[in-house]
Amino acid sequence: MLNYIYDGSFEGLLTAIYETYYRHEIPENILPEQHLQEQLLYKNVHIVTDIEKADKVYNSIREKISVSALQHVFYVFLSELAGAGTWIYQYLRFGWKVGREVDLYITDDRVLKIHTISRKVAVERHRMLGLIRFRYLEGDTYYAPIEPDYNIVGLVAPHFAKRFAGQNWIIHDVKRNLAAVYNQRGWIITDINVNSELNLEEKEKDYQTLWKQYFKSIAIESRVNPKLQRRCMPVRYWRYLVEK
């Protein structure tokens, strides 16, 4: 039995899928290097990322299946779940067989799996748009730390590039040491590791105090519903909410 091993990048995954067709092999699993575990009876085949091959698979998904399928695949990849590469491969094999109607087969396990995970990533992206809190730092830069379940920093960046087009900002995924960095012209994803305490502008401290007071003062005590609040604003996100 075969395991295809790729470097963990989206291009690496697409390259691995390309190789399954042109080597005429059907691997049992397609795994990123970080999830590799030695197993008896399995042969590990390491796939070298090839951008040209990855582009061919990317275009084939878009043209022969659908743009929607391509988004589902990318969102599932961003989930970083251990079996994501394998599930994507199985979904795409089925997609190339049935074409643009693949997402109508909602009772098929391959489709249902992809839709379920893609939806979870999309929900967290939508939720995070309302939970990101920027702090104004010395040096005229806004900084927002987050720790999402999924690797969504690149999904939220376009929204803030439009909304805060006139400011420099950083959205820092603390758990993954990744950040979206915007300089009023464009944004990039880059590795980042903040080891020292960040210095807030003096007026930022005043704004934080005012925001906490406002948050407290608008609450109607008789209508406080902690259970509903935790459902709409899960506790795992509270660490970086100024008002909490």
Side-chain angles (χ1 to χ4, degrees):
M1 292 185 287
L2 287 176
N3 287 333
Y4 273 22
I5 312 302
Y6 67 99
D7 63 3
S9 67
F10 189 58
E11 293 78 9
L13 172 60
L14 297 185
T15 302
I17 293 171
Y18 177 97
E19 294 294 347
T20 67
Y21 280 87
Y22 287 88
R23 298 187 187 194
H24 302 288
E25 295 176 335
I26 301 178
E28 191 73 16
N29 300 292
I30 299 181
L31 302 169
E33 291 174 348
Q34 62 266 33
H35 291 153
L36 175 61
Q37 294 180 345
E38 293 298 329
Q39 297 173 300
L40 293 174
L41 306 180
Y42 280 86
K43 177 184 177 182
N44 293 326
V45 177
H46 291 265
I47 303 299
V48 177
T49 299
D50 185 309
I51 299 300
E52 185 176 343
K53 293 177 180 178
D55 285 343
K56 289 180 179 179
V57 176
Y58 182 97
N59 292 329
S60 179
I61 298 169
R62 184 178 58 189
E63 295 166 7
K64 296 181 179 180
I65 307 178
S66 68
V67 173
S68 177
L70 184 60
Q71 178 175 304
H72 283 312
V73 164
F74 187 56
Y75 275 33
V76 173
F77 169 77
L78 293 177
S79 75
E80 300 180 330
L81 296 173
T86 305
W87 302 328
I88 288 169
Y89 170 56
Q90 294 168 348
Y91 168 77
L92 290 177
R93 285 188 68 199
F94 183 54
W96 280 311
K97 180 180 179 180
V98 301
R100 296 185 179 278
E101 295 183 352
V102 63
D103 290 321
L104 299 179
Y105 290 80
I106 56 176
T107 58
D108 186 284
D109 289 343
R110 293 162 293 188
V111 177
L112 180 61
K113 189 77 173 180
I114 292 297
H115 282 198
T116 299
I117 300 170
S118 175
R119 190 179 303 113
K120 288 180 179 179
V121 175
V123 166
E124 183 170 53
R125 174 204 171 269
H126 178 73
R127 177 182 286 152
M128 192 59 65
L129 294 179
L131 295 178
I132 288 177
R133 301 289 185 265
F134 286 96
R135 297 130 170 89
Y136 189 45
L137 306 181
E138 293 179 354
D140 192 30
T141 298
Y142 290 86
Y143 170 82
I146 60 174
E147 285 191 34
D149 294 334
Y150 307 120
N151 187 1
I152 61 168
V153 67
L155 299 181
V156 299
H159 170 83
F160 290 100
K162 293 179 180 179
R163 186 175 180 186
F164 299 134
Q167 286 90 33
N168 302 312
W169 51 255
I170 298 170
I171 301 175
H172 179 197
D173 185 335
V174 177
K175 183 163 64 175
R176 296 172 179 83
N177 291 325
L178 285 176
V181 180
Y182 178 77
N183 65 356
Q184 301 184 43
R185 294 186 299 275
W187 61 272
I188 61 169
I189 300 294
T190 186
D191 295 329
I192 188 173
N193 195 355
V194 179
N195 294 318
S196 57
E197 186 175 348
L198 299 171
N199 295 321
L200 301 177
E201 281 280 0
E202 284 300 320
K203 63 181 179 180
E204 170 65 18
K205 299 174 184 178
D206 295 334
Y207 288 147
Q208 289 193 12
T209 299
L210 288 171
W211 173 233
K212 291 175 184 178
Q213 292 174 348
Y214 172 75
F215 183 78
K216 183 177 179 179
S217 66
I218 65 171
I220 302 173
E221 188 173 350
S222 61
R223 300 186 67 179
V224 171
N225 188 337
K227 186 176 180 179
L228 177 62
Q229 186 183 52
R230 287 193 295 270
R231 187 167 75 243
C232 298
M233 193 169 63
V235 175
R236 65 183 180 275
Y237 300 129
W238 288 11
R239 179 178 178 182
Y240 299 112
L241 298 180
V242 174
E243 64 270 28
K244 302 300 291 184

